[in-house]
Amino acid sequence: MIKIHDKVFKPFISHDRILEAISGVAERVNADFRDCEDVPIVLCVLNGSIPFTGELLTRLEFNCELVSIKMSSYQGTKSTGTVLNMMGLTADVRGRRVIICEDIVDTGNTIVALKELLLDKGATDVKICTMLFKPEVYKKDVRLDYVGMAIPNAFIVGFGLDYDELGRNLRDIYVIDE
Ligand code: IMP
């Protein structure tokens, strides 16, 4: 058990299991992109996706460029429903294929807004790649191209995921103990 701010969390997904899921995702991304002639953009959605994107990146077997963007729809343990673009893209995506790397897809508000933003800015193709997915909460019909692991609808922290900015540094993933 660990305590972050006012809440208690219990172990949920081990570091090894997280890495296994990321290796599975990397295999599928490689299968689709290995022989590509363009240089796709791997887009890290800051801050939560930093550990995931880092691990994924070292498993990719094609030339790719790392770009970041900061989005946010969460306050505390709840999605606000409004997706804010907190920081612009760190590079131009016009004419490029983009692979979005998300830590977790919950309602899908963030990922769908981000996909639209990228297509708006001239990306030629946008693939969605997420480490974790909460299918019970997802309300969109946009297809998730690569999913590491589906999990139940519960609030989690660790391996990049935070509760009011704390917990990102945890090696394992923890679930709220209610
Ligand atoms: P969505 O827009 O509802 O799909 O939410 C996606 C974003 O909310 C993720 O990128 C995370 O930053 C955050 N988020 C969703 N679920 C959790 C969770 O269980 N713990 C921590 N952050 C979460």
Side-chain angles (χ1 to χ4, degrees), residues 45 48-49 71 73-74 76 79 83 102-111 134 138 151 154-157 161-163 168:
V45 187
S49 304
M71 312 274 287
S73 69
Y74 249 64
S79 174
V83 181
E102 254 291 24
D103 48 0
I104 187 162
V105 173
D106 187 320
T107 62
N109 289 331
T110 306
I111 211 77
K134 294 182 188 170
Y138 192 64
I151 61 163
F155 188 74
I156 58 170
V157 291
L161 291 150
D162 73 303
Y163 170 36
R168 295 194 196 275

PDB file of all heavy atoms in Angstrom, residues 45 48-49 71 73-74 76 79 83 102-111 134 138 151 154-157 161-163 168, ligand 1:
ATOM      1  N   VAL A  45       2.802  12.261 -25.662  1.00  0.00           N
ATOM      2  CA  VAL A  45       1.824  13.165 -25.056  1.00  0.00           C
ATOM      3  C   VAL A  45       2.261  13.403 -23.607  1.00  0.00           C
ATOM      4  O   VAL A  45       2.091  12.547 -22.736  1.00  0.00           O
ATOM      5  CB  VAL A  45       0.399  12.578 -25.134  1.00  0.00           C
ATOM      6  CG1 VAL A  45      -0.621  13.599 -24.656  1.00  0.00           C
ATOM      7  CG2 VAL A  45       0.070  12.131 -26.562  1.00  0.00           C
ATOM      8  N   GLY A  48       2.472  12.322 -18.890  1.00  0.00           N
ATOM      9  CA  GLY A  48       2.235  10.937 -18.489  1.00  0.00           C
ATOM     10  C   GLY A  48       2.873   9.890 -19.377  1.00  0.00           C
ATOM     11  O   GLY A  48       3.204   8.801 -18.912  1.00  0.00           O
ATOM     12  N   SER A  49       3.044  10.199 -20.661  1.00  0.00           N
ATOM     13  CA  SER A  49       3.538   9.178 -21.589  1.00  0.00           C
ATOM     14  C   SER A  49       5.051   9.122 -21.702  1.00  0.00           C
ATOM     15  O   SER A  49       5.576   8.373 -22.531  1.00  0.00           O
ATOM     16  CB  SER A  49       2.947   9.421 -22.977  1.00  0.00           C
ATOM     17  OG  SER A  49       1.552   9.450 -22.890  1.00  0.00           O
ATOM     18  N   MET A  71      -1.092  17.944 -23.463  1.00  0.00           N
ATOM     19  CA  MET A  71      -2.550  18.082 -23.430  1.00  0.00           C
ATOM     20  C   MET A  71      -2.989  17.760 -22.010  1.00  0.00           C
ATOM     21  O   MET A  71      -2.302  17.050 -21.294  1.00  0.00           O
ATOM     22  CB  MET A  71      -3.235  17.063 -24.348  1.00  0.00           C
ATOM     23  CG  MET A  71      -2.687  16.947 -25.726  1.00  0.00           C
ATOM     24  SD  MET A  71      -3.385  18.132 -26.861  1.00  0.00           S
ATOM     25  CE  MET A  71      -5.026  17.475 -27.112  1.00  0.00           C
ATOM     26  N   SER A  73      -6.811  16.894 -19.652  1.00  0.00           N
ATOM     27  CA  SER A  73      -8.257  16.941 -19.452  1.00  0.00           C
ATOM     28  C   SER A  73      -8.603  16.504 -18.037  1.00  0.00           C
ATOM     29  O   SER A  73      -9.747  16.479 -17.646  1.00  0.00           O
ATOM     30  CB  SER A  73      -8.966  16.006 -20.442  1.00  0.00           C
ATOM     31  OG  SER A  73      -8.694  14.660 -20.123  1.00  0.00           O
ATOM     32  N   TYR A  74      -7.574  16.165 -17.279  1.00  0.00           N
ATOM     33  CA  TYR A  74      -7.796  15.601 -15.960  1.00  0.00           C
ATOM     34  C   TYR A  74      -7.490  16.599 -14.860  1.00  0.00           C
ATOM     35  O   TYR A  74      -6.548  17.354 -14.935  1.00  0.00           O
ATOM     36  CB  TYR A  74      -6.906  14.354 -15.774  1.00  0.00           C
ATOM     37  CG  TYR A  74      -7.711  13.081 -15.734  1.00  0.00           C
ATOM     38  CD1 TYR A  74      -8.429  12.682 -16.842  1.00  0.00           C
ATOM     39  CD2 TYR A  74      -7.764  12.294 -14.590  1.00  0.00           C
ATOM     40  CE1 TYR A  74      -9.181  11.519 -16.811  1.00  0.00           C
ATOM     41  CE2 TYR A  74      -8.513  11.130 -14.557  1.00  0.00           C
ATOM     42  CZ  TYR A  74      -9.213  10.752 -15.668  1.00  0.00           C
ATOM     43  OH  TYR A  74      -9.958   9.607 -15.635  1.00  0.00           O
ATOM     44  N   GLY A  76      -7.264  16.132 -10.666  1.00  0.00           N
ATOM     45  CA  GLY A  76      -7.403  15.156  -9.585  1.00  0.00           C
ATOM     46  C   GLY A  76      -7.632  13.784 -10.178  1.00  0.00           C
ATOM     47  O   GLY A  76      -6.865  13.328 -11.005  1.00  0.00           O
ATOM     48  N   SER A  79     -11.947  13.101 -15.140  1.00  0.00           N
ATOM     49  CA  SER A  79     -11.807  13.760 -16.428  1.00  0.00           C
ATOM     50  C   SER A  79     -12.761  14.952 -16.426  1.00  0.00           C
ATOM     51  O   SER A  79     -13.905  14.829 -16.021  1.00  0.00           O
ATOM     52  CB  SER A  79     -12.173  12.796 -17.560  1.00  0.00           C
ATOM     53  OG  SER A  79     -12.168  13.486 -18.780  1.00  0.00           O
ATOM     54  N   VAL A  83     -10.695  19.211 -23.182  1.00  0.00           N
ATOM     55  CA  VAL A  83      -9.288  18.913 -23.426  1.00  0.00           C
ATOM     56  C   VAL A  83      -8.540  20.206 -23.710  1.00  0.00           C
ATOM     57  O   VAL A  83      -8.904  20.961 -24.600  1.00  0.00           O
ATOM     58  CB  VAL A  83      -9.126  17.939 -24.601  1.00  0.00           C
ATOM     59  CG1 VAL A  83      -7.672  17.617 -24.836  1.00  0.00           C
ATOM     60  CG2 VAL A  83      -9.916  16.670 -24.338  1.00  0.00           C
ATOM     61  N   GLU A 102       0.129   7.416 -26.089  1.00  0.00           N
ATOM     62  CA  GLU A 102      -0.611   7.835 -24.893  1.00  0.00           C
ATOM     63  C   GLU A 102      -0.342   6.853 -23.766  1.00  0.00           C
ATOM     64  O   GLU A 102      -0.174   5.659 -24.006  1.00  0.00           O
ATOM     65  CB  GLU A 102      -2.116   7.850 -25.204  1.00  0.00           C
ATOM     66  CG  GLU A 102      -2.704   9.239 -25.358  1.00  0.00           C
ATOM     67  CD  GLU A 102      -2.783  10.058 -24.079  1.00  0.00           C
ATOM     68  OE1 GLU A 102      -2.014   9.808 -23.126  1.00  0.00           O
ATOM     69  OE2 GLU A 102      -3.618  10.967 -24.032  1.00  0.00           O
ATOM     70  N   ASP A 103      -0.339   7.372 -22.545  1.00  0.00           N
ATOM     71  CA  ASP A 103      -0.203   6.482 -21.386  1.00  0.00           C
ATOM     72  C   ASP A 103      -1.484   5.689 -21.186  1.00  0.00           C
ATOM     73  O   ASP A 103      -1.459   4.477 -20.991  1.00  0.00           O
ATOM     74  CB  ASP A 103       0.140   7.285 -20.122  1.00  0.00           C
ATOM     75  CG  ASP A 103      -0.757   8.507 -19.910  1.00  0.00           C
ATOM     76  OD1 ASP A 103      -1.659   8.761 -20.745  1.00  0.00           O
ATOM     77  OD2 ASP A 103      -0.550   9.217 -18.913  1.00  0.00           O
ATOM     78  N   ILE A 104      -2.637   6.399 -21.278  1.00  0.00           N
ATOM     79  CA  ILE A 104      -3.906   5.727 -21.029  1.00  0.00           C
ATOM     80  C   ILE A 104      -5.030   6.435 -21.785  1.00  0.00           C
ATOM     81  O   ILE A 104      -5.043   7.656 -21.874  1.00  0.00           O
ATOM     82  CB  ILE A 104      -4.185   5.674 -19.505  1.00  0.00           C
ATOM     83  CG1 ILE A 104      -5.419   4.816 -19.196  1.00  0.00           C
ATOM     84  CG2 ILE A 104      -4.338   7.047 -18.895  1.00  0.00           C
ATOM     85  CD1 ILE A 104      -5.493   4.380 -17.741  1.00  0.00           C
ATOM     86  N   VAL A 105      -5.937   5.650 -22.352  1.00  0.00           N
ATOM     87  CA  VAL A 105      -7.139   6.212 -22.967  1.00  0.00           C
ATOM     88  C   VAL A 105      -8.306   5.858 -22.071  1.00  0.00           C
ATOM     89  O   VAL A 105      -8.543   4.691 -21.759  1.00  0.00           O
ATOM     90  CB  VAL A 105      -7.357   5.681 -24.401  1.00  0.00           C
ATOM     91  CG1 VAL A 105      -8.707   6.157 -24.937  1.00  0.00           C
ATOM     92  CG2 VAL A 105      -6.234   6.150 -25.324  1.00  0.00           C
ATOM     93  N   ASP A 106      -9.012   6.891 -21.646  1.00  0.00           N
ATOM     94  CA  ASP A 106     -10.110   6.774 -20.687  1.00  0.00           C
ATOM     95  C   ASP A 106     -11.402   7.086 -21.467  1.00  0.00           C
ATOM     96  O   ASP A 106     -11.910   6.233 -22.185  1.00  0.00           O
ATOM     97  CB  ASP A 106      -9.795   7.779 -19.561  1.00  0.00           C
ATOM     98  CG  ASP A 106     -10.722   7.723 -18.371  1.00  0.00           C
ATOM     99  OD1 ASP A 106     -11.924   7.554 -18.567  1.00  0.00           O
ATOM    100  OD2 ASP A 106     -10.256   7.874 -17.229  1.00  0.00           O
ATOM    101  N   THR A 107     -11.924   8.304 -21.405  1.00  0.00           N
ATOM    102  CA  THR A 107     -13.120   8.656 -22.177  1.00  0.00           C
ATOM    103  C   THR A 107     -12.802   8.746 -23.673  1.00  0.00           C
ATOM    104  O   THR A 107     -13.694   8.640 -24.509  1.00  0.00           O
ATOM    105  CB  THR A 107     -13.667  10.025 -21.755  1.00  0.00           C
ATOM    106  OG1 THR A 107     -12.664  11.011 -22.020  1.00  0.00           O
ATOM    107  CG2 THR A 107     -14.020  10.044 -20.275  1.00  0.00           C
ATOM    108  N   GLY A 108     -11.521   8.993 -23.991  1.00  0.00           N
ATOM    109  CA  GLY A 108     -11.112   9.154 -25.379  1.00  0.00           C
ATOM    110  C   GLY A 108     -11.125  10.613 -25.818  1.00  0.00           C
ATOM    111  O   GLY A 108     -10.722  10.928 -26.937  1.00  0.00           O
ATOM    112  N   ASN A 109     -11.557  11.513 -24.938  1.00  0.00           N
ATOM    113  CA  ASN A 109     -11.614  12.944 -25.299  1.00  0.00           C
ATOM    114  C   ASN A 109     -10.257  13.461 -25.768  1.00  0.00           C
ATOM    115  O   ASN A 109     -10.162  14.150 -26.788  1.00  0.00           O
ATOM    116  CB  ASN A 109     -12.070  13.789 -24.098  1.00  0.00           C
ATOM    117  CG  ASN A 109     -13.534  13.586 -23.772  1.00  0.00           C
ATOM    118  OD1 ASN A 109     -14.330  13.277 -24.653  1.00  0.00           O
ATOM    119  ND2 ASN A 109     -13.896  13.732 -22.509  1.00  0.00           N
ATOM    120  N   THR A 110      -9.211  13.131 -25.012  1.00  0.00           N
ATOM    121  CA  THR A 110      -7.877  13.644 -25.328  1.00  0.00           C
ATOM    122  C   THR A 110      -7.400  13.145 -26.685  1.00  0.00           C
ATOM    123  O   THR A 110      -6.988  13.926 -27.554  1.00  0.00           O
ATOM    124  CB  THR A 110      -6.857  13.195 -24.251  1.00  0.00           C
ATOM    125  OG1 THR A 110      -7.350  13.575 -22.972  1.00  0.00           O
ATOM    126  CG2 THR A 110      -5.494  13.813 -24.485  1.00  0.00           C
ATOM    127  N   ILE A 111      -7.491  11.824 -26.870  1.00  0.00           N
ATOM    128  CA  ILE A 111      -6.946  11.206 -28.072  1.00  0.00           C
ATOM    129  C   ILE A 111      -7.692  11.665 -29.338  1.00  0.00           C
ATOM    130  O   ILE A 111      -7.082  11.922 -30.369  1.00  0.00           O
ATOM    131  CB  ILE A 111      -6.950   9.663 -27.882  1.00  0.00           C
ATOM    132  CG1 ILE A 111      -5.811   9.050 -28.644  1.00  0.00           C
ATOM    133  CG2 ILE A 111      -8.242   9.013 -28.201  1.00  0.00           C
ATOM    134  CD1 ILE A 111      -4.507   9.225 -27.984  1.00  0.00           C
ATOM    135  N   LYS A 134      -9.172   1.931 -20.908  1.00  0.00           N
ATOM    136  CA  LYS A 134     -10.315   1.591 -20.047  1.00  0.00           C
ATOM    137  C   LYS A 134     -11.554   1.445 -20.941  1.00  0.00           C
ATOM    138  O   LYS A 134     -12.275   2.427 -21.156  1.00  0.00           O
ATOM    139  CB  LYS A 134     -10.551   2.704 -19.020  1.00  0.00           C
ATOM    140  CG  LYS A 134      -9.437   2.889 -17.991  1.00  0.00           C
ATOM    141  CD  LYS A 134      -9.814   3.982 -16.995  1.00  0.00           C
ATOM    142  CE  LYS A 134      -8.676   4.338 -16.069  1.00  0.00           C
ATOM    143  NZ  LYS A 134      -8.975   5.555 -15.259  1.00  0.00           N
ATOM    144  N   TYR A 138     -14.691   4.269 -22.485  1.00  0.00           N
ATOM    145  CA  TYR A 138     -14.460   4.839 -23.812  1.00  0.00           C
ATOM    146  C   TYR A 138     -15.786   5.089 -24.527  1.00  0.00           C
ATOM    147  O   TYR A 138     -16.614   4.195 -24.624  1.00  0.00           O
ATOM    148  CB  TYR A 138     -13.593   3.871 -24.631  1.00  0.00           C
ATOM    149  CG  TYR A 138     -13.040   4.454 -25.912  1.00  0.00           C
ATOM    150  CD1 TYR A 138     -12.154   5.519 -25.867  1.00  0.00           C
ATOM    151  CD2 TYR A 138     -13.403   3.939 -27.148  1.00  0.00           C
ATOM    152  CE1 TYR A 138     -11.635   6.055 -27.047  1.00  0.00           C
ATOM    153  CE2 TYR A 138     -12.887   4.463 -28.324  1.00  0.00           C
ATOM    154  CZ  TYR A 138     -12.005   5.524 -28.265  1.00  0.00           C
ATOM    155  OH  TYR A 138     -11.494   6.047 -29.422  1.00  0.00           O
ATOM    156  N   ILE A 151      -7.808  -2.332 -19.086  1.00  0.00           N
ATOM    157  CA  ILE A 151      -7.962  -2.432 -17.626  1.00  0.00           C
ATOM    158  C   ILE A 151      -9.375  -1.987 -17.229  1.00  0.00           C
ATOM    159  O   ILE A 151     -10.030  -1.269 -17.977  1.00  0.00           O
ATOM    160  CB  ILE A 151      -6.910  -1.567 -16.865  1.00  0.00           C
ATOM    161  CG1 ILE A 151      -7.062  -0.081 -17.226  1.00  0.00           C
ATOM    162  CG2 ILE A 151      -5.493  -2.048 -17.143  1.00  0.00           C
ATOM    163  CD1 ILE A 151      -6.374   0.854 -16.247  1.00  0.00           C
ATOM    164  N   ALA A 154     -10.861   2.092 -13.099  1.00  0.00           N
ATOM    165  CA  ALA A 154     -10.425   2.462 -11.749  1.00  0.00           C
ATOM    166  C   ALA A 154      -9.277   3.438 -11.911  1.00  0.00           C
ATOM    167  O   ALA A 154      -8.583   3.419 -12.927  1.00  0.00           O
ATOM    168  CB  ALA A 154      -9.968   1.228 -11.001  1.00  0.00           C
ATOM    169  N   PHE A 155      -9.094   4.295 -10.918  1.00  0.00           N
ATOM    170  CA  PHE A 155      -8.034   5.299 -11.016  1.00  0.00           C
ATOM    171  C   PHE A 155      -6.693   4.681 -10.637  1.00  0.00           C
ATOM    172  O   PHE A 155      -6.558   4.046  -9.599  1.00  0.00           O
ATOM    173  CB  PHE A 155      -8.352   6.498 -10.122  1.00  0.00           C
ATOM    174  CG  PHE A 155      -7.400   7.625 -10.348  1.00  0.00           C
ATOM    175  CD1 PHE A 155      -7.493   8.406 -11.497  1.00  0.00           C
ATOM    176  CD2 PHE A 155      -6.380   7.892  -9.439  1.00  0.00           C
ATOM    177  CE1 PHE A 155      -6.590   9.436 -11.736  1.00  0.00           C
ATOM    178  CE2 PHE A 155      -5.477   8.924  -9.669  1.00  0.00           C
ATOM    179  CZ  PHE A 155      -5.594   9.696 -10.823  1.00  0.00           C
ATOM    180  N   ILE A 156      -5.714   4.862 -11.506  1.00  0.00           N
ATOM    181  CA  ILE A 156      -4.390   4.271 -11.265  1.00  0.00           C
ATOM    182  C   ILE A 156      -3.283   5.326 -11.295  1.00  0.00           C
ATOM    183  O   ILE A 156      -3.461   6.408 -11.852  1.00  0.00           O
ATOM    184  CB  ILE A 156      -4.084   3.170 -12.308  1.00  0.00           C
ATOM    185  CG1 ILE A 156      -4.157   3.750 -13.738  1.00  0.00           C
ATOM    186  CG2 ILE A 156      -5.049   1.993 -12.183  1.00  0.00           C
ATOM    187  CD1 ILE A 156      -3.650   2.814 -14.798  1.00  0.00           C
ATOM    188  N   VAL A 157      -2.159   4.977 -10.700  1.00  0.00           N
ATOM    189  CA  VAL A 157      -0.972   5.850 -10.732  1.00  0.00           C
ATOM    190  C   VAL A 157       0.268   4.996 -10.971  1.00  0.00           C
ATOM    191  O   VAL A 157       0.245   3.789 -10.745  1.00  0.00           O
ATOM    192  CB  VAL A 157      -0.752   6.632  -9.413  1.00  0.00           C
ATOM    193  CG1 VAL A 157      -1.815   7.674  -9.185  1.00  0.00           C
ATOM    194  CG2 VAL A 157      -0.636   5.691  -8.220  1.00  0.00           C
ATOM    195  N   LEU A 161       1.866   7.793 -14.854  1.00  0.00           N
ATOM    196  CA  LEU A 161       0.524   8.271 -14.488  1.00  0.00           C
ATOM    197  C   LEU A 161       0.548   8.914 -13.105  1.00  0.00           C
ATOM    198  O   LEU A 161       1.176   8.393 -12.177  1.00  0.00           O
ATOM    199  CB  LEU A 161      -0.451   7.094 -14.497  1.00  0.00           C
ATOM    200  CG  LEU A 161      -0.730   6.545 -15.892  1.00  0.00           C
ATOM    201  CD1 LEU A 161      -1.036   5.069 -15.842  1.00  0.00           C
ATOM    202  CD2 LEU A 161      -1.872   7.310 -16.523  1.00  0.00           C
ATOM    203  N   ASP A 162      -0.182  10.024 -12.966  1.00  0.00           N
ATOM    204  CA  ASP A 162      -0.112  10.787 -11.725  1.00  0.00           C
ATOM    205  C   ASP A 162      -1.471  10.950 -11.048  1.00  0.00           C
ATOM    206  O   ASP A 162      -2.516  10.821 -11.679  1.00  0.00           O
ATOM    207  CB  ASP A 162       0.417  12.187 -12.020  1.00  0.00           C
ATOM    208  CG  ASP A 162      -0.630  13.047 -12.744  1.00  0.00           C
ATOM    209  OD1 ASP A 162      -1.102  12.622 -13.818  1.00  0.00           O
ATOM    210  OD2 ASP A 162      -1.001  14.112 -12.226  1.00  0.00           O
ATOM    211  N   TYR A 163      -1.407  11.264  -9.781  1.00  0.00           N
ATOM    212  CA  TYR A 163      -2.557  11.794  -9.056  1.00  0.00           C
ATOM    213  C   TYR A 163      -2.124  13.183  -8.603  1.00  0.00           C
ATOM    214  O   TYR A 163      -1.253  13.313  -7.753  1.00  0.00           O
ATOM    215  CB  TYR A 163      -2.925  10.899  -7.862  1.00  0.00           C
ATOM    216  CG  TYR A 163      -3.944  11.510  -6.923  1.00  0.00           C
ATOM    217  CD1 TYR A 163      -4.988  12.299  -7.408  1.00  0.00           C
ATOM    218  CD2 TYR A 163      -3.872  11.300  -5.550  1.00  0.00           C
ATOM    219  CE1 TYR A 163      -5.915  12.871  -6.554  1.00  0.00           C
ATOM    220  CE2 TYR A 163      -4.803  11.864  -4.689  1.00  0.00           C
ATOM    221  CZ  TYR A 163      -5.820  12.655  -5.198  1.00  0.00           C
ATOM    222  OH  TYR A 163      -6.736  13.223  -4.347  1.00  0.00           O
ATOM    223  N   ARG A 168       4.211   9.709 -10.609  1.00  0.00           N
ATOM    224  CA  ARG A 168       4.720   9.408 -11.953  1.00  0.00           C
ATOM    225  C   ARG A 168       5.990   8.571 -11.920  1.00  0.00           C
ATOM    226  O   ARG A 168       6.301   7.846 -12.855  1.00  0.00           O
ATOM    227  CB  ARG A 168       5.046  10.702 -12.713  1.00  0.00           C
ATOM    228  CG  ARG A 168       3.846  11.578 -13.013  1.00  0.00           C
ATOM    229  CD  ARG A 168       4.244  12.630 -14.046  1.00  0.00           C
ATOM    230  NE  ARG A 168       3.295  13.736 -14.113  1.00  0.00           N
ATOM    231  CZ  ARG A 168       2.181  13.728 -14.834  1.00  0.00           C
ATOM    232  NH1 ARG A 168       1.862  12.664 -15.531  1.00  0.00           N
ATOM    233  NH2 ARG A 168       1.389  14.779 -14.856  1.00  0.00           N
TER     234      ARG A 168
HETATM  235  P1  IMP B   1      -9.371  10.875 -21.574  1.00  0.00           P
HETATM  236  O1  IMP B   1      -9.280  12.167 -22.314  1.00  0.00           O
HETATM  237  O2  IMP B   1     -10.593  10.797 -20.699  1.00  0.00           O
HETATM  238  O3  IMP B   1      -9.253   9.650 -22.472  1.00  0.00           O
HETATM  239  O4  IMP B   1      -8.200  10.845 -20.529  1.00  0.00           O
HETATM  240  C1  IMP B   1      -6.895  10.631 -20.910  1.00  0.00           C
HETATM  241  C2  IMP B   1      -5.903  11.255 -19.955  1.00  0.00           C
HETATM  242  O5  IMP B   1      -6.426  11.314 -18.627  1.00  0.00           O
HETATM  243  C3  IMP B   1      -4.657  10.411 -19.870  1.00  0.00           C
HETATM  244  O6  IMP B   1      -3.690  10.853 -20.788  1.00  0.00           O
HETATM  245  C4  IMP B   1      -4.202  10.626 -18.442  1.00  0.00           C
HETATM  246  O7  IMP B   1      -3.398  11.764 -18.357  1.00  0.00           O
HETATM  247  C5  IMP B   1      -5.481  10.895 -17.679  1.00  0.00           C
HETATM  248  N1  IMP B   1      -5.971   9.679 -16.999  1.00  0.00           N
HETATM  249  C6  IMP B   1      -7.000   8.881 -17.380  1.00  0.00           C
HETATM  250  N2  IMP B   1      -7.188   7.869 -16.514  1.00  0.00           N
HETATM  251  C7  IMP B   1      -6.231   8.025 -15.555  1.00  0.00           C
HETATM  252  C8  IMP B   1      -5.888   7.275 -14.373  1.00  0.00           C
HETATM  253  O8  IMP B   1      -6.487   6.246 -14.008  1.00  0.00           O
HETATM  254  N3  IMP B   1      -4.837   7.761 -13.639  1.00  0.00           N
HETATM  255  C9  IMP B   1      -4.140   8.872 -13.999  1.00  0.00           C
HETATM  256  N4  IMP B   1      -4.433   9.598 -15.087  1.00  0.00           N
HETATM  257  C10 IMP B   1      -5.463   9.177 -15.869  1.00  0.00           C
END
